[in-house]
Amino acid sequence: MTTAAPTTDPTTELTVLDPRDGSVVGTVAAATEDEVRAAVAAAHAAARDWARTAPEQRGRALRAAADRLAEHARELAELNTRETGKPFEEALGGVQAGIGTLYQYAELGPVHRGRSLRGDVLASDYTVAEPRGVVVALTPWNDPVAVAAGLLGAALVSGNTVVHKPSERCPHVGARLGEILAEALPAGVLGTVSGGAAVGELLTGLPDVDVLAHVGSTATGEAIARAAVGTGAHVIRENGGNDALVVDDDVDPGWAAEQAALGAFANVGQICVAVERIYVHRAVAEPFLAALAEQARRRNAEGSLAPLVDERMREEVHRQVADSVAAGAVVLEGARVPEGPGAFYPATVLAECAPGMTVMAEETFGPVAPVQVVDSFAEGLRLAAADRYGLAATVLTGRIAHAQQAVAELPVGTLKVNNVFGGAPGGAAQPRRASGAGFGYGPELLDEMTQVKVVHVEMPPTRG
């Protein structure tokens, strides 16, 4: 059956539909202006004592919060599945990743240190890392626990207090996450407010906020950066990406198609670093396209793809596909809105794509693999680099010289060679251009959450 969206006012209530069948998950009240201001005031009131808490003690508190989260992992995963359609095991994996991140920051925070400086032999010069103050964290729906855990963990263990606004697409997950973590922390150190764009705009415009940390769309990130110009808040943002995959002529086309399918179809394409556009060398293009279309057909036949987060997202994905087909792209698989309930969309492969087509120029955030054939690896790199985003990219090549060429020429924060989702634990990167600014993960996020004070100490002159 299909269920019409309830006619509630999104500025006062957030009603979420299960994207699998359209049934109502529940309704969460959006925070009022007074409640938002009260949450920030509570964070301010707690900031001085929390900043003066010993780093090792803050680490213990964060470990306790991680322990609490582990106790409620399945509960949060089930809520995530109901609100966003993410399969339960994948949702549980996201919660477990968040738990691991909190443990990681609980260890890293107490050893985050300053540096000694070389000065006069009878003086001491060094730096001290101090918390910035009140952090507003605005987090997305596509991996709500794991992403939030990174920002919240780094901020809290560094001595900041936090007001967290989770995405309005998964307010039940965000509210419950806040309750669970706050139980292990002093009052006021972590607050959660629910709401949509109006609540986010209010939070980002308040003068008493010291850090704005955002993971989400480029349009929202740019609005946050503009607001921070007026308030002086430090901005950390990981925003949209239009990540390219470049396939060289010396790789196995079947394996390359598996990599492309994984990058484009995992989590139904709803990953910041998903493969969004593909450039394949003409020498392997025919078998690559055949294998990629088969990968998509198999997923569609099995019904293994989860729904998109909601029908609004599906409409946007299909709009981009339809625009590109009208401009000359050829459908090898998918590209049709299925009948029946839910926000499902098939794995889609488009051939004969070209620069300027919507699916090549914009972040699609759906299970779409658009492919353009190129005559050389260098041409693939050139087209991959000609984009306003700068989040990540992948190259598949057996030539070390081509890998090094990609390192030198692709203006992205993360470059992956021969693995679309490869990376070591604790890695961090700086998004570029329209994809954001600042380190959003890893030990470097502790640097973003703190500010450096330089100290110079020397002896006074002896009294005559």
Side-chain angles (χ1 to χ4, degrees):
M1 67 174 184
T2 58
T3 304
T7 56
T8 57
D9 182 352
T11 63
T12 59
E13 290 185 331
L14 304 172
T15 297
V16 182
L17 305 181
D18 189 325
R20 297 170 298 180
D21 59 13
S23 62
V24 176
V25 176
T27 298
V28 174
T32 65
E33 180 175 345
D34 286 345
E35 289 170 336
V36 170
R37 292 183 182 277
V40 173
H44 263 289
R48 185 174 182 273
D49 287 345
W50 185 242
R52 294 191 174 194
T53 300
E56 193 276 335
Q57 189 174 338
R58 294 198 299 258
R60 283 204 308 269
L62 195 60
R63 279 193 294 275
D67 291 340
R68 291 280 299 147
L69 184 55
E71 294 169 4
H72 295 272
R74 297 186 70 85
E75 174 193 351
L76 281 171
E78 289 167 359
L79 271 177
N80 190 359
T81 295
R82 295 184 65 205
E83 288 198 300
T84 72
K86 197 180 187 80
F88 175 79
E89 290 301 325
E90 294 180 20
L92 183 60
V95 177
Q96 291 167 339
I99 294 165
T101 298
L102 293 179
Y103 284 134
Q104 179 187 65
Y105 282 123
E107 298 298 323
L108 291 174
V111 296
H112 186 235
R113 65 194 68 182
R115 295 182 297 169
S116 60
L117 307 174
R118 295 187 64 181
D120 188 83
V121 68
L122 296 180
S124 295
D125 292 84
Y126 57 94
T127 68
V128 177
E130 298 180 328
R132 290 182 179 271
V134 175
V135 175
V136 163
L138 304 111
T139 60
W141 50 265
N142 58 324
D143 204 352
V145 176
V147 175
L151 294 178
L152 303 185
L156 292 167
V157 82
S158 300
N160 300 282
T161 54
V162 180
V163 177
H164 176 213
K165 191 198 88 66
S167 169
E168 59 270 29
R169 279 173 156 145
C170 55
H172 295 86
V173 172
R176 188 69 185 114
L177 175 65
E179 291 171 354
I180 292 166
L181 298 182
E183 289 173 355
L185 301 165
V189 168
L190 172 62
T192 304
V193 293
S194 298
V199 171
E201 289 171 8
L202 177 58
L203 281 168
T204 57
L206 293 176
D208 293 334
V209 170
D210 302 290
V211 179
L212 297 171
H214 172 253
V215 178
S217 74
T218 291
T220 300
E222 290 173 345
I224 289 170
R226 288 192 294 271
V229 172
T231 65
H234 178 65
V235 177
I236 310 162
R237 58 188 183 100
E238 183 192 297
N239 296 152
N242 193 23
D243 294 3
L245 170 66
V246 181
V247 182
D248 208 349
D249 65 352
D250 67 335
V251 300
D252 176 71
W255 167 76
E258 291 174 359
Q259 285 286 304
L262 175 64
F265 305 145
N267 200 35
V268 211
Q270 298 174 136
I271 303 174
C272 296
V273 291
V275 169
E276 295 276 346
R277 52 200 171 106
I278 301 167
Y279 303 99
V280 59
H281 196 291
R282 190 173 301 279
V284 295
E286 185 174 347
F288 171 83
L289 283 166
L292 181 56
E294 180 56 31
Q295 289 277 337
R297 272 192 296 274
R298 179 175 60 79
R299 286 167 168 80
N300 292 337
E302 293 172 348
S304 59
L305 262 64
L308 293 167
V309 67
D310 56 27
E311 291 187 3
R312 178 163 56 96
M313 178 61 72
R314 182 172 70 175
E315 290 171 3
E316 173 58 20
V317 169
H318 189 61
R319 178 193 69 79
Q320 292 194 24
V321 170
D323 285 353
S324 300
V325 171
V330 175
V331 177
L332 299 186
E333 176 62 19
R336 297 180 303 276
V337 176
E339 297 181 357
F344 293 91
Y345 196 78
T348 295
V349 178
L350 302 178
E352 299 185 27
C353 294
M357 287 185 180
T358 312
V359 291
M360 301 297 276
E362 297 182 17
E363 181 181 36
T364 305
F365 226 62
V368 180
V371 183
Q372 178 174 348
V373 176
V374 295
D375 291 317
S376 67
F377 185 77
E379 182 187 5
L381 289 185
R382 178 180 60 79
L383 291 168
D387 190 71
R388 73 188 186 100
Y389 295 97
L391 191 57
T394 303
V395 297
L396 305 180
T397 181
R399 299 182 177 95
I400 189 65
H402 281 184
Q404 292 297 92
Q405 186 181 359
V407 171
E409 295 185 14
L410 293 180
V412 295
T414 301
L415 176 66
K416 294 159 286 185
V417 180
N418 296 330
N419 190 332
V420 291
F421 290 136
Q430 288 181 305
R432 304 183 184 185
R433 299 186 291 184
S435 290
F439 285 100
Y441 302 94
E444 290 83 357
L445 183 52
L446 298 172
D447 297 330
E448 297 282 356
M449 293 293 182
T450 53
Q451 51 194 350
V452 173
K453 178 179 289 180
V454 177
V455 180
H456 172 80
V457 181
E458 63 178 71
M459 296 294 292
T462 57
R463 297 180 64 179

